[in-house]
Amino acid sequence: MEAAAKLGAVGGAAIHALAGFELPAGEASGTLDTPTYDSYCYDIDRTWAENLASGPSRHQGPQPERVWAPEDKWFDFLGHKLASPLGVAAGPLLSSEWIELAGARGFDCVTYKTIRSHYHAGHGLPNILYLNTEEQLQAAGPTTAAPLQAAPPGSGPRRQLAITNSFGMPSRGPGEAAADIRRAAGLLAPGQMMVVSVTGTPGRPGLSFQSDLEAAARVALEGGATVIEVNLSCPNVGASHVALYLDAPAVGEAVRGLKQVVGPVPLLLKVGAYPDTDSLRRVLAEAEAAGAAGIAGINGLSRRVEAPGGGPALGPDRPTSGVCGDPIRGAGLDFVGQARQIIAADSLGLRLVGVGGVTEVDHAFEYLRAGADVVQSATGFMWRPNLGLDFQRRWVASGCSARGDGRGGR
Ligand SMILES: Cc1cc2nc3c(=O)[nH]c(=O)nc-3n(C[C@H](O)[C@H](O)[C@H](O)COP(=O)(O)O)c2cc1C
């Protein structure tokens, strides 16, 4: 691990130089003992394509044994039997190899990363930077306008696991994606399920956003997808896309069009945080009326991120990016609490997936108590190798109860 951390410092030096950081003497040599913040399954100093090619092979140490809930405690989720309500959110599972890893690490509802209808390279490096922040970010509160600061190499966050990511949703071509999706589903155990995330691309010649989105859904179906999640919320792809999840009529239209294509396959909608309860209520009502099966949120909170010396940390063309991990847990829990309250009050038949800042077992139980049917982690999955298996021990010891205290009852 130590050697790997040193290697990470070398790669990190190159990346941070790219991002305009001043490197303290010694760091570029790779001799500095950096804190072990590295993801155990994704090398942030290499491109997405390089990671995809090499697979999730680094830093995989010993792991505790998986504990399974008895089958009579498994529950139905969108037509599947789930052994537990923990999963991985869209993004970190690049291919069938990561799907297999997540399943083996105790994550039962795993989302295959967002695919497009066509090959898309996404952004170059850097794609992930650590953030120097200890605050909890609000969805649309006073911190919205204030920039956050990226951490210089080797001085990443100690208390909070806080990152920003900006990948531009890279995607393999449709044939490769469909074949790998099919392979991935076959690698999961009974009690586990896979969701396939899709998105549309604005501005493709001769295609509307909607028809491109539907084409992406067809790729997922070709791969045998049994649940499809539509990413309506990615903060990184330009103005026309940013607001879709906030625009209730547009959400309804997108879902109605997609339902024509996917038929009985359940549709989850991936959304970001809402500025107020009324706008969330309008979207939930439209989503249900149009035939969506559930809602998943939140995506990373979009913020300006600056390098320590000033200027956009990801370069001038990417002044904002999605903040993920610990700082957004409060916003994610607020979203789930409000959505659960609306679903109950308005008798909506929507399932609810909670996402945002789940980096410890306790956080997952907080989400379940707030009303999530399923809770997923992205950053926590990538940086905490035993999060899933530790969760499973607590889940089973607690009698499969959201209280997580052994007193039973969800
Ligand atoms: C490396 C990475 C890549 C991501 N890519 C996607 C994506 O392709 N599609 C998507 O809907 N969300 C994506 N997300 C957002 C996550 O699904 C999740 O909503 C967000 O990270 C908040 O959860 P977290 O705090 O557990 O990371 C990505 C997140 C990370 C960390």
Side-chain angles (χ1 to χ4, degrees):
M1 190 71 172
E2 198 188 344
K6 284 177 183 169
L7 275 176
V10 180
I15 302 315
H16 287 282
L18 223 170
F21 289 106
E22 285 294 315
L23 286 170
E27 297 202 355
S29 71
T31 55
L32 197 79
D33 268 349
T34 55
T36 52
Y37 293 134
D38 292 3
S39 162
Y40 77 99
C41 63
Y42 186 91
D43 188 344
I44 71 170
D45 298 326
R46 296 167 73 213
T47 64
W48 185 85
E50 286 168 342
N51 273 279
L52 182 65
S54 62
S57 53
R58 68 204 281 271
H59 306 343
Q60 289 182 38
Q63 62 188 73
E65 209 179 312
R66 164 77 194 243
V67 180
W68 288 89
E71 271 189 54
D72 63 341
K73 298 279 188 186
W74 295 12
F75 60 97
D76 182 76
F77 186 66
L78 303 175
H80 291 261
K81 279 277 171 210
L82 267 184
S84 83
L86 185 70
V88 179
L93 309 181
L94 281 63
S95 73
S96 51
E97 291 181 81
W98 273 268
I99 292 280
E100 184 178 25
L101 173 68
R105 293 266 167 174
F107 294 89
D108 291 338
C109 179
V110 295
T111 304
Y112 193 100
K113 89 159 291 310
T114 307
I115 58 161
R116 297 178 188 261
S117 65
H118 56 287
Y119 168 79
H120 183 75
H123 299 317
L125 291 171
N127 298 123
I128 292 181
L129 296 172
Y130 297 106
L131 296 175
N132 245 343
T133 178
E134 299 296 339
E135 62 181 319
Q136 280 291 307
L137 302 175
Q138 281 144 34
T143 54
T144 306
L148 294 170
Q149 214 181 58
S155 63
R158 279 167 200 280
R159 222 153 44 84
Q160 292 220 95
L161 175 56
I163 64 163
T164 187
N165 86 80
S166 172
F167 284 86
M169 284 193 285
S171 179
R172 294 206 259 187
E176 256 188 287
D180 192 54
I181 287 166
R182 194 169 291 284
R183 194 175 311 125
L187 295 168
L188 294 174
Q192 300 186 319
M193 64 180 279
M194 186 175 79
V195 177
V196 179
S197 170
V198 303
T199 196
T201 306
R204 294 199 74 215
L207 282 178
S208 65
F209 172 80
Q210 180 68 25
S211 49
D212 186 62
L213 178 61
E214 290 169 12
R218 280 192 200 93
V219 177
L221 292 176
E222 202 182 305
T226 53
V227 179
I228 292 179
E229 179 176 285
V230 196
N231 182 9
L232 301 174
S233 56
C234 183
N236 299 325
V237 274
S240 58
H241 202 185
V242 162
L244 189 52
Y245 78 91
L246 294 166
D247 181 343
V251 169
E253 210 176 303
V255 173
R256 272 188 293 278
L258 279 165
K259 280 307 282 179
Q260 300 289 320
V261 174
V262 305
V265 172
L267 277 182
L268 280 171
L269 309 185
K270 175 75 176 288
V271 300
Y274 285 83
D276 56 72
T277 314
D278 279 349
S279 43
L280 173 57
R281 171 172 273 117
R282 283 192 292 274
V283 169
L284 292 182
E286 276 283 350
E288 199 221 30
I295 187 139
I298 56 174
N299 211 312
L301 288 179
S302 183
R303 289 292 185 277
R304 277 193 297 141
V305 177
E306 292 187 347
L314 292 158
D317 54 334
R318 288 185 281 164
T320 61
S321 48
V323 175
C324 307
D326 284 321
I328 69 166
R329 188 164 49 257
L333 284 165
D334 281 352
F335 166 82
V336 165
Q338 286 168 16
R340 172 54 66 205
Q341 193 271 327
I342 294 167
I343 288 169
D346 299 352
S347 306
L348 302 177
L350 293 171
R351 307 308 298 268
L352 179 58
V353 180
V355 185
V358 174
T359 62
E360 290 173 16
V361 171
D362 278 344
H363 305 156
F365 282 98
E366 280 178 58
Y367 268 91
L368 296 174
R369 286 194 294 266
D373 294 309
V374 162
V375 53
Q376 291 186 320
S377 173
T379 306
F381 162 75
M382 294 171 79
W383 268 266
R384 304 277 191 253
N386 292 335
L387 175 62
L389 293 164
D390 288 347
F391 173 87
Q392 295 303 339
R393 269 206 316 283
R394 255 287 273 294
W395 177 248
V396 173
S398 73
C400 308
S401 149
R403 289 211 300 263
D405 59 6
R407 279 185 281 155
R410 278 196 85 189

